[in-house]
Amino acid sequence: QMRLVESGGGSVQAGESLRLSCVASGYTYNAYAMGWFRQAPGKERELVSTLDTGGKITYVDSVKGRFTISKDNSVNTLYLQMNNLKPDDTGMYYCARAAGATTGVGWNVWGQGTQVTVAS
Protein backbone atom coordinates (compact mmCIF):
# COMPACT_ATOMS: atom_id res chain seq x y z
CA GLN A 1 0.00 0.00 0.00
CA MET A 2 1.45 3.37 -1.04
CA ARG A 3 1.72 5.71 1.91
CA LEU A 4 3.17 9.11 2.78
CA VAL A 5 3.53 10.19 6.41
CA GLU A 6 4.46 13.77 7.28
CA SER A 7 5.92 15.04 10.53
CA GLY A 8 7.75 18.04 11.89
CA GLY A 9 5.03 20.64 12.03
CA GLY A 10 4.43 22.79 15.07
CA SER A 11 3.79 26.22 16.48
CA VAL A 12 6.63 28.74 16.23
CA GLN A 13 7.27 32.47 16.35
CA ALA A 14 7.95 34.48 13.23
CA GLY A 15 11.59 34.20 12.22
CA GLU A 16 12.01 30.69 13.57
CA SER A 17 12.56 27.49 11.61
CA LEU A 18 10.97 24.08 11.15
CA ARG A 19 11.91 21.03 9.14
CA LEU A 20 9.15 18.89 7.73
CA SER A 21 9.72 15.25 6.86
CA CYS A 22 7.72 12.91 4.65
CA VAL A 23 8.42 9.20 4.78
CA ALA A 24 7.25 7.18 1.79
CA SER A 25 6.47 3.50 1.66
CA GLY A 26 4.84 0.97 -0.62
CA TYR A 27 6.44 2.01 -3.91
CA THR A 28 9.80 2.67 -5.59
CA TYR A 29 10.56 6.00 -3.94
CA ASN A 30 13.13 7.42 -6.34
CA ALA A 31 11.04 6.79 -9.46
CA TYR A 32 8.59 9.62 -8.82
CA ALA A 33 8.65 13.37 -8.45
CA MET A 34 7.62 14.71 -5.06
CA GLY A 35 6.17 17.92 -3.76
CA TRP A 36 5.00 19.91 -0.77
CA PHE A 37 1.64 21.66 -0.74
CA ARG A 38 0.01 23.81 1.91
CA GLN A 39 -3.48 25.00 2.66
CA ALA A 40 -4.40 27.84 4.94
CA PRO A 41 -7.88 28.13 6.45
CA GLY A 42 -10.32 29.52 3.90
CA LYS A 43 -7.79 29.36 1.10
CA GLU A 44 -7.09 27.00 -1.77
CA ARG A 45 -4.32 24.47 -1.59
CA GLU A 46 -1.03 25.91 -2.85
CA LEU A 47 1.94 24.14 -4.38
CA VAL A 48 4.96 25.18 -2.33
CA SER A 49 7.87 23.23 -3.77
CA THR A 50 8.66 20.31 -6.05
CA LEU A 51 11.58 17.99 -6.68
CA ASP A 52 11.60 15.69 -9.69
CA THR A 53 13.70 12.60 -10.28
CA GLY A 54 16.19 14.59 -12.36
CA GLY A 55 16.85 16.94 -9.47
CA LYS A 56 14.86 19.87 -10.84
CA ILE A 57 13.52 22.01 -8.00
CA THR A 58 10.79 24.63 -7.99
CA TYR A 59 9.48 26.99 -5.31
CA VAL A 60 6.52 29.28 -5.12
CA ASP A 61 7.79 32.88 -5.11
CA SER A 62 6.70 33.56 -1.55
CA VAL A 63 9.12 30.97 -0.09
CA LYS A 64 12.14 31.42 -2.35
CA GLY A 65 15.26 32.01 -0.32
CA ARG A 66 13.63 30.72 2.86
CA PHE A 67 12.54 27.13 2.14
CA THR A 68 14.69 24.27 0.88
CA ILE A 69 13.38 20.98 -0.46
CA SER A 70 15.56 17.89 -0.37
CA LYS A 71 15.33 14.13 -0.20
CA ASP A 72 17.25 11.16 1.11
CA ASN A 73 16.60 8.16 -1.11
CA SER A 74 18.31 5.84 1.37
CA VAL A 75 15.49 6.36 3.86
CA ASN A 76 12.68 7.19 1.40
CA THR A 77 12.24 10.63 2.95
CA LEU A 78 11.43 14.04 1.54
CA TYR A 79 12.24 17.16 3.56
CA LEU A 80 11.23 20.78 3.61
CA GLN A 81 13.52 23.04 5.59
CA MET A 82 11.64 26.22 6.41
CA ASN A 83 13.62 29.18 7.71
CA ASN A 84 12.58 32.70 8.66
CA LEU A 85 8.97 31.61 8.94
CA LYS A 86 6.24 34.19 8.57
CA PRO A 87 2.63 34.22 9.75
CA ASP A 88 1.53 33.81 6.10
CA ASP A 89 3.27 30.42 6.11
CA THR A 90 0.65 29.11 8.51
CA GLY A 91 -1.34 26.17 7.20
CA MET A 92 -1.58 22.44 6.83
CA TYR A 93 1.38 21.11 4.88
CA TYR A 94 0.96 18.05 2.71
CA CYS A 95 3.49 15.83 1.03
CA ALA A 96 2.47 14.44 -2.34
CA ARG A 97 3.80 12.03 -4.92
CA ALA A 98 3.49 12.78 -8.61
CA ALA A 99 2.05 10.23 -11.00
CA GLY A 100 5.42 10.06 -12.78
CA ALA A 101 9.04 11.14 -12.76
CA THR A 102 8.16 14.75 -13.48
CA THR A 103 5.63 17.12 -11.99
CA GLY A 104 3.45 17.70 -15.02
CA VAL A 105 1.45 14.50 -14.76
CA GLY A 106 -0.61 15.17 -11.68
CA TRP A 107 -0.36 14.10 -8.04
CA ASN A 108 -1.88 10.81 -6.99
CA VAL A 109 -0.58 9.95 -3.52
CA TRP A 110 -1.06 12.28 -0.54
CA GLY A 111 -0.06 12.33 3.08
CA GLN A 112 -2.35 13.23 5.94
CA GLY A 113 -0.71 16.59 6.53
CA THR A 114 1.18 18.30 9.33
CA GLN A 115 0.13 21.64 10.81
CA VAL A 116 2.43 24.64 10.80
CA THR A 117 1.41 27.69 12.81
CA VAL A 118 3.51 30.84 12.84
CA ALA A 119 2.73 33.56 15.36
CA SER A 120 3.70 37.16 14.78
Side-chain angles (χ1 to χ4, degrees), residues 5-119:
V5 179
E6 303 98 330
S7 62
S11 296
V12 298
Q13 297 292 316
E16 295 183 341
S17 300
L18 285 172
R19 188 177 81 155
L20 306 183
S21 299
C22 170
V23 179
S25 61
Y27 69 95
T28 303
Y29 177 69
N30 59 1
Y32 296 87
M34 299 291 294
W36 287 98
F37 290 76
R38 67 185 177 188
Q39 187 166 22
K43 295 186 178 181
E44 293 187 356
R45 186 172 58 196
E46 174 184 44
L47 177 58
V48 176
S49 182
T50 66
L51 175 57
D52 72 13
T53 59
K56 180 181 176 182
I57 291 174
T58 68
Y59 298 102
V60 66
D61 285 346
S62 60
V63 309
K64 286 180 179 177
R66 301 187 298 120
F67 289 13
T68 303
I69 191 171
S70 63
K71 65 178 180 176
D72 185 340
N73 289 338
S74 68
V75 290
N76 291 358
T77 302
L78 180 74
Y79 302 101
L80 187 67
Q81 177 67 42
M82 306 186 295
N83 297 330
N84 190 22
L85 282 160
K86 303 177 179 181
D88 283 349
D89 295 319
T90 294
M92 185 70 78
Y93 282 69
Y94 298 92
C95 171
R97 193 203 79 172
T102 61
T103 59
V105 293
W107 305 88
N108 61 357
V109 183
W110 293 85
Q112 82 290 348
T114 186
Q115 179 67 37
V116 173
T117 302
V118 185

